[in-house]
Structures are given as structure tokens and as C-alpha cells.
Amino acid sequence: MTTTQHDRRRSTAARAVLALAAAVAVMAALPAAGQVLESDRVAEEVTFTKDIAPILQRSCQKCHQPDALAPMSLIDYEEVRPWARAMKYRTGLRDKMGVMPPWYIEKDIGIQAFKNDPSLTEEEIAKIAAWADNGAPLGNPADMPPPVAFIDVDEWEIGQPDLIVSSPSVEVKADAPDWWGAVADVETGLPEDRYVSAIEFKEITESRVGEGRQTVGGRFVFHHAVIRVVGPDFDEEDPLAAAGLSSWPVHEVGRNADVFDPKAGKEMVANSKITFPSLHLHANGAETRAHLDIGFKFHPRDYEPEVDQRLIAFGNGVDLDVEAEHPNQTMESYFVLPDHARIAVFEPHMHAPGVRMCLEAIYGTTIETLNCSGYDHSWVRVYTYEDHAMPLLPKGTILHITGWFNNSASNPNVPDPRNWSGGGNRSVDQMFINIMQGSYLDDDEFKAALAERERVLDLTPGERVIGCPLCGVDDPLNEEAAAEEAAAAAEAEREAAAAEAADAAGAGQ
């Protein structure tokens, strides 16, 4: 027998042994006669009244109700049943473009504690899938939860505002080209100085003639609106104003509410006015007249902020180069914190080809991914960290964002992927910015914030937490010692993770 023949026979024998082993494994995994798999049992138990209705009430019905934002109502079983398969698909997208509810934070990396998070758990996603696959059964009517009383098309996420200010009305023809520019100022009528705890924008349609477009962006004409809240003594030389920016949140299509750091309410002085230095309007397929309502929620009258919340945005809005027909292009930008900082808001802002952004914090040899998020230009999301999860970052930390762009036919937001695009204000132009809100802290404020974080999270000495590289460090403002201690803690954590992974791999063999 030749060596080749011997090797071929030995290889054939080995394959036969492997095939037999695989068959035995498959047979062992099959249920015995009459046995019901756990997954089948769970699927049979999932019903609309008991399992699906509570999910819809919490995360869907705010938009999916008659005459609201969404194109269909999801209140009653008869309304929901035809959409069962679509619900399985859309919720199964998780953090990708098109997911419902529209929340794109990736849950396998980074900080996960956010205010007003409507996203579904893996268990809830599995329940919706099982329900759809099993014929979408109604279940026992007695299990149906009572209707949610607060569901209303005019509901505000921040609760009833203490002050509502309306912008000037605008009129946009059904197929008009994009327009951007300034509109007239509006007086607030505020008789006294107050501090704002939250702000929310609502586009109000006054009239609409024509069918329009059945998309989120297609129901509105305001793509974005930059506002400034200015008092009688406003400095017209304000550098943010000169750059067309503002320390106040920007309205964007699909945007959720902004809740400020409770230690950093934003001041609105008596007799102030709201200016609109930059509006971007687009046609929606129907002749539309509309305006913005801006709702402000105030802190109590005796409130005094401890720190100053401001815009800490960075990115690249000018020299972008998005190639035609390119499905997976990346871009990067960096920013060095000039002072210690507490970050309250992570807000990726891109345009139509944008599909993902990640935010990293680099301090010494410690590199942490704070968050990664999908992106959908029809639903611009603001991610406000819970108070105990706001990144606390020392002076000199390098913030790094990476953006992913899909300028191909597979991205439904791109009108014509054959076109190259660069930076600009139109939706068909590009932006790549992290519009963060945060507060700069001096040494004493930063040490106090670290101590409070360690107390609230009950951290032991040396215990690390994402977004706080100096938590648990003995001498956090001794830069050299702190960097060494943070690096040692990070290395210990990496070694522990590697050991855990090795143990898990060994257990699986």
C-alpha cells in the first residue's frame, strides 16, 4: 500500500468516526418520544394578554396609537395580530437600523445604565419571536393588563412642562428643496430667573395637504433646529454663537427628551428670549405648515447648581470623504479633555449613510469602550446616563470616536449611493459628531465626585467600573501614581477575564 493510499484510508476512517460521533450527539440531543423541549414549552406559553401587551404598553404604545407618530396602532389584540411577524423582525434587529423601539445602544459592551431606556431585554425579544412563531395566540382575556392611562399623543416625556415656548411657523411645499437659515426670535415671557432640569422638542403640524411620505422623517419638515436661550445682557461675541452652535440641546428629527445632570441645571434668566440661528427644513411630500413647541422643566426655585453643564462636542463635520457605493467605511476623531469632566449625554450625530458610532476613553494605558451605538438618521437618539453611570474622566483623557458609514444600496436611508458625499448641512451631506453634554470639574469637585461614585456603587479599594478609570485609586490626582494604579487594575481585570474564559473553554471540552 502506498503512503498516499494509507493516508487516504486513515482519513476516511477518521471521517467515519467523526460522523458517528456527530450522529450520536445529535441523537442524544433529540427529545424522547412524547418529550417537549423547553423552548417549545415556552413558545406555547407566550400569549398576547399575559406577555406581549405589557411590553407594548411600556415600550411601543407611546408612538403606536391612533393619530400618533407611528403608521399603525398597537393597542388592542385585533390591531397587533397582523403585525406579529413584523414585530419579531424589527425587535430582533436589536441595535441595528430599523429596530423597534428605536434604541441603538449595543448591550454587550460599555455602560448600560441610561435614563428613559425603552429598549427590550433578550427575554422580551425571545417572547415576541416565540409568540409570532406560535401563531400569535390571544391567551386568557383575564390576563390582559388595564390600559395605560397616560398614553396620549400630546404626552411629554419630561412630564408636563413648566414653560412651553413656540417657534415661528414655517411653510414647506410638498417637493421643495432643503432650506436652512435663521428665523425670528421668540420671547419666553419668563418673569424670574430659573434653572432648567430637562428640555423636550415637539414638532406640531398645523396643516398638511397631500399624502406625504410614510417614514419618520417624512412626517415632519424640521430636520434640525439649533436654539439659544439668551437674556437681556447676552454677549453677541459668544464663541459658540459665532460658530453656529449652542450649549443647549439641538432639536433633531425623532429626538427624545434631554434630561440634564441634576447637579448642573441650565440657567434661563428673566425676560430671556429664544433665538433660532440655524434651522434645516426639508419637504415631506405634503404641503405642510408647522412649528416647534419647546418644553422646559424647572428645578425648584431654591435650586442652585453645583457645576456648569455645557456642550462638549467633537468630531468631523467638514472634511469628510464618503465614497460612492461603499458599504463599510470608517472615520475617526479625537478630543483631549482640558479638565476633569463628568459626561451626562452620549449623542452620535451622523447623516443618512451613518450606521454606527463607538466612543472610547483613553487614559494612560487604560483604554475603555464607553459605548457603541447603531445609528438611524430617521431616529436621532439622545442617550442620557443614569447619575451613577455618568463617565467621570480625568484631565488629559483622550476621547476617541469611530464612525461607520454605509453608502450603498443596502442602506435604505441613502437616496442614491452612486454619489460621493462630504461634509455639509443637508441630509445628503455628511456629519460625524458626538454632541456630548457634560460638566468640567476642578480638582476638589472631581475628588468629591469620585468619592460619591465609590460610595453609591459600594466599590471596594481597587475595584474598577467602566467610565471611571480613577475610581478606587488611592491618590487620584497624583497623575503618575494614578496612571500606574489604574493600569495595574486594568491589567488585573484583563488577566481575570482571560482566566475565566480559559476555565469556560476547559469546561466545555
Side-chain angles (χ1 to χ4, degrees):
M1 182 182 299
T2 66
T3 301
T4 302
Q5 289 172 325
H6 176 75
D7 290 344
R8 187 180 297 119
R9 182 170 296 177
R10 183 172 57 187
S11 176
T12 301
R15 286 198 298 271
V17 170
L18 290 173
L20 177 61
V24 170
V26 170
M27 292 299 293
L30 291 175
Q35 180 182 352
V36 178
L37 290 176
E38 178 66 16
S39 58
D40 293 335
R41 186 185 64 79
V42 171
E44 291 175 359
E45 291 178 352
V46 176
T47 67
F48 175 80
T49 55
K50 178 168 61 71
D51 303 285
I52 306 304
I55 297 173
L56 296 175
Q57 288 184 345
R58 190 197 73 235
S59 296
C60 307
Q61 291 179 358
K62 180 179 183 295
C63 294
H64 287 274
Q65 55 176 301
D67 301 319
L69 178 63
M72 81 287 289
S73 176
L74 297 178
I75 304 294
D76 301 325
Y77 176 73
E78 291 74 16
E79 296 174 328
V80 177
R81 173 63 184 84
W83 301 100
R85 303 298 297 180
M87 288 168 54
K88 173 187 174 181
Y89 170 72
R90 296 292 287 271
T91 58
L93 292 172
R94 290 172 173 81
D95 48 58
K96 303 298 188 296
M97 180 185 297
V99 67
M100 285 288 145
W103 184 267
Y104 306 100
I105 291 292
E106 297 177 12
K107 295 194 173 185
D108 58 350
I109 190 169
I111 299 168
Q112 296 299 313
F114 294 93
K115 296 178 180 179
N116 301 317
D117 178 357
S119 63
L120 308 187
T121 66
E122 285 299 313
E123 180 183 7
E124 289 171 330
I125 294 171
K127 281 185 176 181
I128 291 173
W131 179 68
D133 290 342
N134 201 40
L138 170 63
N140 185 349
D143 293 333
M144 185 70 180
V148 180
F150 60 77
I151 293 176
D152 190 283
V153 68
D154 296 322
E155 177 195 2
W156 294 79
E157 290 182 30
I158 61 174
Q160 183 58 34
D162 298 304
L163 174 68
I164 299 175
V165 180
S166 298
S167 76
S169 297
V170 300
E171 295 184 1
V172 181
K173 298 295 184 182
D175 294 308
D178 284 24
W179 178 90
W180 58 94
V183 295
D185 302 344
V186 176
E187 299 293 334
T188 64
L190 187 68
E192 58 182 336
D193 295 355
R194 295 296 298 267
Y195 284 98
V196 178
S197 63
I199 180 174
E200 185 177 352
F201 297 84
K202 282 183 176 292
E203 179 171 335
I204 306 300
T205 301
E206 300 174 19
S207 64
R208 182 179 171 93
V209 179
E211 293 185 4
R213 305 188 183 107
Q214 295 303 309
T215 65
V216 174
R219 296 175 66 87
F220 301 116
V221 294
F222 285 88
H223 167 266
H224 78 242
V226 176
I227 70 163
R228 297 200 304 268
V229 181
V230 300
D233 301 324
F234 173 64
D235 180 6
E236 293 291 349
E237 302 301 320
D238 174 54
L240 283 177
L245 300 173
S246 169
S247 64
W248 290 81
V250 176
H251 166 69
E252 296 149 302
V253 62
R255 184 187 181 98
N256 47 325
D258 288 84
V259 180
F260 300 135
D261 182 341
K263 297 180 181 295
K266 294 186 70 64
E267 185 178 25
M268 178 183 286
V269 302
N271 301 312
S272 58
K273 63 182 179 181
I274 296 179
T275 70
F276 301 87
S278 175
L279 263 64
H280 174 187
L281 305 179
H282 59 215
N284 64 15
E287 186 170 332
T288 303
R289 179 181 175 88
H291 69 269
L292 293 177
D293 277 354
I294 310 170
F296 298 91
K297 197 78 174 176
F298 294 142
H299 283 290
R301 282 184 168 80
D302 58 354
Y303 169 87
E304 289 293 335
E306 298 179 26
V307 291
D308 176 29
Q309 181 160 323
R310 62 181 66 193
L311 181 75
I312 311 180
F314 73 102
N316 191 338
V318 180
D319 54 341
L320 296 174
D321 181 8
V322 179
E323 299 175 13
E325 302 287 1
H326 198 311
N328 189 27
Q329 187 171 347
T330 60
M331 297 185 187
E332 299 177 272
S333 184
Y334 295 84
F335 175 73
V336 179
L337 287 174
D339 290 296
H340 312 303
R342 175 169 45 217
I343 306 302
V345 169
F346 168 52
E347 183 192 340
H349 185 79
M350 307 165 83
H351 274 192
V355 293
R356 186 176 186 242
M357 182 184 288
C358 287
L359 171 64
E360 282 186 336
I362 305 168
Y363 181 71
T365 59
T366 301
I367 303 175
E368 293 183 327
T369 300
L370 300 182
N371 285 107
C372 287
S373 170
Y375 184 81
D376 186 338
H377 195 46
S378 291
W379 288 96
V380 178
R381 299 283 84 182
V382 179
Y383 304 106
T384 303
Y385 295 105
E386 291 282 7
D387 299 346
H388 69 272
M390 294 180 183
L392 280 174
L393 304 173
K395 176 181 178 180
T397 296
I398 301 170
L399 295 178
H400 170 216
I401 54 173
T402 304
W404 282 260
F405 297 81
N406 177 1
N407 189 26
S408 76
S410 64
N411 183 345
N413 284 340
V414 176
D416 191 344
R418 296 174 299 175
N419 294 329
W420 170 93
S421 60
N425 287 317
R426 302 173 302 169
S427 291
V428 293
D429 298 323
Q430 302 313 316
M431 286 190 178
F432 171 47
I433 308 171
N434 178 13
I435 310 179
M436 297 188 303
Q437 293 276 338
S439 308
Y440 287 128
L441 310 174
D442 62 26
D443 286 354
D444 290 339
E445 292 169 338
F446 185 61
K447 287 194 292 186
L450 289 175
E452 181 182 21
R453 182 67 52 85
E454 292 166 0
R455 178 186 61 79
V456 169
L457 298 182
D458 195 23
L459 300 178
T460 59
E463 185 177 358
R464 301 178 66 252
V465 60
I466 295 176
C468 190
L470 297 187
C471 278
V473 172
D474 291 335
D475 191 1
L477 298 187
N478 181 333
E479 293 187 15
E480 184 175 350
E484 291 179 357
E485 194 170 343
E491 181 60 28
E493 186 174 288
R494 284 192 290 269
E495 290 177 355
E500 184 177 343
D503 291 344
Q509 292 178 351

